[in-house]
Amino acid sequence: MAGKIVVYGGKGALGSVVVKHFKELNYWVGSIDLVNVDDANISIAVNKNEDCDTQASAVMKQLSEALADGSKLDAFINVAGGWAGGNAASDGLISSSVLMWQQSVWSSVITAQAAAKFLKPGGLVVLPGAHPALAGTPGMIGYGMAKAAVHQLTQSLAGPGSGLPDNATALAILPVTLNTPMNRKWMSKADFSTWTPLDFVAKTFEAWVKNEQRPASGSLVQLITKDNVTQLKIE
Amino acid sequence: MAGKIVVYGGKGALGSVVVKHFKELNYWVGSIDLVNVDDANISIAVNKNEDCDTQASAVMKQLSEALADGSKLDAFINVAGGWAGGNAASDGLISSSVLMWQQSVWSSVITAQAAAKFLKPGGLVVLPGAHPALAGTPGMIGYGMAKAAVHQLTQSLAGPGSGLPDNATALAILPVTLNTPMNRKWMSKADFSTWTPLDFVAKTFEAWVKNEQRPASGSLVQLITKDNVTQLKIE
């Protein structure tokens, strides 16, 4: 076995590619999502109707059982989260803000808590940021707030006394647009050559997990794709 | 009557000073808080046990009734929000993160929604940021995330198509430490000469409401106090 990782959002478009990629590399892979992931070594399904505390307790309990041999994780990769639009005058402003918080921020806080307990010293935490949230996002207010919170959490986890194990690295990935089936369906006339391929992201995670080309802890790693080539821009 | 404003958090240490200040200036002042504010022209008490959508609906309904004559607000000033510590290894990480979100972010999203509907063109929205959240806050993770979200919301509201009325200004204030009774109680040995006096903040709001020295919309306005003198640092 090459190592152990957990993917939060293992059933999603990116998450399922990441699970498959690390399985092929002979990693033990755990998944956390709203539904079970058959490919994973352990699969934790959280109930989206439960509050954050209850979801967190369920995740912590099942991870404790899965790692009862005292083994620790090489990485905790959170790629959960969705998208919703809406400005301040939208009827759905409140509900979309709450949903975005639940998807991106609850999963990230639970990731932080689990990483504090189950990550190896020198291990990796990846959180789901978003390039647009580096500035204002007037047409997608709830989404921007949740992603800005994830960015700041990444910086917090990188700081002294964050509670993560010694020498752990916390990073956020900030895609512009990922090349997922859902995005292709809803934006079928867009220029796909500027969208980031999922396997590129999975290979980037592989390098970071192996402690190759790992950016400094706290970095917000923008994924900038142009003419089908993706470059990492690190802030 | 000089004009109409609403203070979110009108019962708090800063909010009650702001309510009193604008009442003395002959403004019509509405308050929103968890409890009623006797000094205010209208007082809306939200139930903290209700979800964000329900709180928002109650606020919107009562504002509609209070402004049934079709009048609009000069300013919507949100100074709600509390503080909680805790790093990723803290038992209370999840509950403190949820509480910080409810106090700072729910109130700010409700403010945004109410401002879209009830603010005058050229009016002012102020949101409750925090200086520490401009960087990582490893010892107060939930607090930092919520305040970072408020900062990004401020930038969103300043953008084109945000849903605010034409020429409205959205600002966040980013105190380091406010000179409140509670802070004096809990940090009695601190250097108060670096704490920002509440009446300075109220007078700053007065200028902004009157459209004097109003920073550009979207600004994060740091309140930096040294030797009992406060300066505004605008980002």
Side-chain angles (χ1 to χ4, degrees):
Chain A
M1 187 186 65
K4 290 192 176 189
I5 70 162
V6 166
V7 179
Y8 208 126
K11 191 69 174 181
L14 175 57
S16 57
V17 170
V18 174
V19 168
K20 185 166 177 287
H21 187 79
F22 279 90
K23 284 295 293 179
E24 287 171 1
L25 292 168
N26 203 30
Y27 278 76
W28 179 100
V29 179
S31 168
I32 306 171
D33 207 317
L34 301 177
V35 291
N36 280 308
V37 171
D38 295 336
D39 294 347
N41 294 82
I42 62 148
S43 177
I44 299 173
V46 295
N47 181 343
K48 70 175 177 180
N49 297 317
E50 289 177 342
D51 65 24
C52 187
D53 240 334
T54 308
Q55 290 188 19
S57 296
V59 167
M60 296 299 282
K61 180 171 180 289
Q62 290 175 76
L63 285 175
S64 288
E65 290 165 3
L67 302 169
D69 62 355
S71 64
K72 299 275 185 178
L73 299 170
D74 294 278
F76 215 119
I77 297 174
N78 180 4
V79 289
W83 182 89
N87 72 5
S90 302
D91 285 339
L93 172 69
I94 306 290
S95 57
S96 67
S97 297
V98 169
L99 182 65
M100 293 299 96
W101 186 254
Q102 291 175 355
Q103 291 181 343
S104 288
V105 182
W106 287 15
S107 64
S108 293
V109 181
I110 294 171
T111 296
Q113 187 179 50
K117 189 158 184 187
F118 298 111
L119 197 68
K120 278 184 186 167
L124 173 71
V125 177
V126 178
L127 298 179
H131 185 270
L134 290 174
T137 51
M140 43 187 190
I141 280 184
Y143 178 80
M145 281 195 293
K147 294 301 189 180
V150 169
H151 296 172
Q152 200 269 349
L153 172 59
T154 306
Q155 295 168 328
S156 288
L157 292 177
S162 73
L164 288 193
D166 289 345
N167 302 312
T169 299
L171 301 171
I173 57 160
L174 281 60
V176 179
T177 309
L178 293 173
N179 195 343
T180 63
M182 199 67 88
N183 283 337
R184 284 199 301 273
K185 179 177 171 189
W186 292 111
M187 297 181 275
S188 59
K189 291 179 180 169
D191 175 6
F192 298 165
S193 74
T194 65
W195 290 10
T196 305
L198 304 182
D199 62 342
F200 175 88
V201 183
K203 285 175 187 163
T204 302
F205 291 161
E206 178 192 343
W208 292 350
V209 170
K210 293 176 172 172
N211 207 1
E212 295 163 4
Q213 297 153 15
R214 207 189 263 190
S217 191
S219 294
L220 307 180
V221 183
Q222 301 172 42
L223 307 177
I224 308 295
T225 304
K226 198 180 161 188
D227 298 335
N228 297 303
V229 176
T230 302
Q231 296 198 302
L232 306 183
K233 185 178 168 194
I234 295 166
E235 298 219 343
Chain B
M1 189 186 63
K4 291 192 175 189
I5 70 165
V6 166
V7 180
Y8 208 126
K11 190 69 173 182
L14 176 56
S16 57
V17 170
V18 174
V19 168
K20 185 166 176 287
H21 186 80
F22 279 90
K23 284 295 293 179
E24 286 172 0
L25 293 167
N26 203 31
Y27 277 78
W28 179 98
V29 180
S31 168
I32 306 171
D33 206 316
L34 302 176
V35 292
N36 280 307
V37 170
D38 295 336
D39 294 347
N41 293 82
I42 62 148
S43 177
I44 299 173
V46 295
N47 181 343
K48 69 176 178 181
N49 297 317
E50 289 177 343
D51 65 24
C52 187
D53 240 336
T54 308
Q55 289 188 20
S57 297
V59 167
M60 296 299 281
K61 180 170 180 290
Q62 290 176 75
L63 285 175
S64 288
E65 291 164 2
L67 302 169
D69 61 355
S71 62
K72 297 276 184 178
L73 299 170
D74 295 276
F76 216 119
I77 297 173
N78 180 3
V79 289
W83 182 89
N87 73 5
S90 302
D91 286 339
L93 172 69
I94 306 290
S95 57
S96 66
S97 296
V98 169
L99 181 65
M100 293 299 96
W101 186 255
Q102 291 176 355
Q103 292 182 343
S104 288
V105 182
W106 287 15
S107 64
S108 294
V109 182
I110 294 171
T111 296
Q113 186 178 50
K117 188 156 183 188
F118 299 112
L119 195 68
K120 277 184 187 167
L124 173 72
V125 177
V126 178
L127 297 179
H131 185 270
L134 291 173
T137 51
M140 42 188 191
I141 281 184
Y143 178 80
M145 282 195 293
K147 294 300 189 180
V150 169
H151 297 173
Q152 200 268 350
L153 172 60
T154 306
Q155 295 168 328
S156 288
L157 291 176
S162 73
L164 288 193
D166 288 347
N167 302 312
T169 299
L171 302 171
I173 56 160
L174 281 58
V176 180
T177 309
L178 293 173
N179 195 344
T180 64
M182 199 68 87
N183 283 337
R184 284 198 301 275
K185 179 177 171 187
W186 292 110
M187 297 182 275
S188 59
K189 291 178 180 169
D191 176 7
F192 298 165
S193 75
T194 65
W195 289 11
T196 304
L198 303 182
D199 62 343
F200 175 89
V201 183
K203 284 175 187 162
T204 302
F205 292 159
E206 178 192 342
W208 293 350
V209 170
K210 293 175 172 173
N211 207 1
E212 295 164 3
Q213 296 152 17
R214 209 189 261 189
S217 192
S219 295
L220 307 180
V221 183
Q222 302 173 41
L223 307 176
I224 308 295
T225 304
K226 197 178 161 189
D227 298 335
N228 297 303
V229 176
T230 301
Q231 296 197 303
L232 305 184
K233 186 178 168 195
I234 295 166
E235 298 219 342

